[in-house]
Amino acid sequence: MLRHIRGAWQVALIEPNIINADTLARRSKARPEGTVFALPKGGVDEGETPEESADREVFEETGVHGLRLFRLATIRYLYVRSWGGREHVSKVVSFYLFLYSSGRLGQIRPDMRDEVRKAFWFPLDKAHRKLTYRGEREVLRLAQKIVREHPELLTPPAPVSLTSGPAVPRPAAQQRGGSQRAIQRRPSPPKGNPADVPPGGTHSPRSYSEES
């Protein structure tokens, strides 16, 4: 999730409450023990597509809505759980690029507090040093490269027009009829007694409307 504010790009990061054992080898002085910083992500629920899951997880873990533009990357990795029997787990994660659209970061549902300690904006150009997971740091570098070299890809698509479509040329017969109506003039009443004019003559409003 990216946003552009005050001339700079920021990315939404989260501090999860659930700490996996694979973070132990990736902590440094910049990340105190027990602190993990990551990109928002989660599992695909039954009946969801990966795109629908990304939309839902981003909102649940950050509290903000975004416009999903495209998939950035898919990474595969193994880690060892720190609970249970320390099983080896294989993971496949697809990352999508979002542009912020609405909401306030960090206003997440109470039931999500078990998974996410906090969410915060961080400068995009420095965020790769903040993230705990190597795969996510590589994904973030892709986002940095797009912002730097291909900013046109970050332009939201134009809204779909609700018009009925392009104008259709009128048939020639209707065009001629319209021309005739445009130049038609009501004839002057004939001289003489108005009673001599036959009822329903061409100059009567009723007869004129029937020709149109």
Side-chain angles (χ1 to χ4, degrees):
M1 176 75 72
L2 302 182
R3 74 169 180 175
H4 192 259
I5 184 169
R6 300 186 186 93
W9 285 97
Q10 297 178 334
V11 59
L13 303 182
I14 65 170
E15 182 183 335
N17 271 328
I18 301 174
I19 308 301
N20 292 328
D22 64 338
T23 62
L24 294 175
R26 294 181 179 142
R27 290 175 186 156
S28 67
K29 293 180 180 179
R31 304 183 199 90
E33 186 172 352
T35 301
V36 171
F37 299 111
L39 298 173
K41 59 184 180 298
V44 179
D45 286 349
E46 185 176 357
E48 281 186 332
T49 65
E51 292 77 14
E52 291 170 341
S53 175
D55 294 343
R56 176 182 53 77
E57 288 288 348
V58 164
F59 173 69
E60 288 181 350
E61 295 193 351
T62 66
V64 297
H65 292 282
L67 175 65
R68 175 170 35 84
L69 297 181
F70 48 82
R71 186 173 63 180
L72 267 176
T74 297
I75 61 176
R76 296 169 173 83
Y77 59 92
L78 295 171
Y79 72 93
V80 180
R81 285 178 176 167
S82 59
W83 64 92
R86 297 185 61 84
E87 298 92 346
H88 287 74
V89 179
S90 175
K91 241 183 179 182
V92 178
V93 184
S94 293
F95 290 90
Y96 296 83
L97 187 64
F98 284 79
L99 281 184
Y100 167 82
S101 60
S102 64
R104 187 169 183 176
L105 196 71
Q107 288 191 343
I108 61 178
R109 301 195 316 258
D111 60 297
M112 289 301 299
R113 293 293 179 184
D114 291 339
E115 298 184 23
V116 179
R117 186 172 301 166
K118 66 178 180 180
F120 57 97
W121 293 111
F122 199 81
L124 177 64
D125 59 348
K126 301 176 182 177
H128 62 281
R129 296 194 294 267
K130 187 77 169 177
L131 289 172
T132 302
Y133 303 114
R134 182 181 62 184
E136 293 188 6
R137 293 197 294 269
E138 294 172 355
V139 170
L140 196 66
R141 287 191 178 95
L142 289 177
Q144 293 169 340
K145 183 176 182 180
I146 289 173
V147 167
R148 185 173 59 251
E149 300 179 7
H150 301 285
E152 72 279 1
L153 298 179
L154 301 174
T155 303
V160 178
S161 175
L162 298 179
T163 58
S164 58
V168 178
R170 298 176 62 190
Q174 293 184 15
Q175 293 178 3
R176 288 196 299 271
S179 300
Q180 290 172 358
R181 286 198 300 273
I183 64 176
Q184 188 177 22
R185 298 290 184 271
R186 292 185 182 182
S188 301
K191 295 180 180 180
N193 191 335
D196 294 334
V197 180
T202 57
H203 66 280
S204 70
R206 182 171 183 271
S207 174
Y208 184 77
S209 64
E210 287 177 348
E211 293 178 2
S212 63

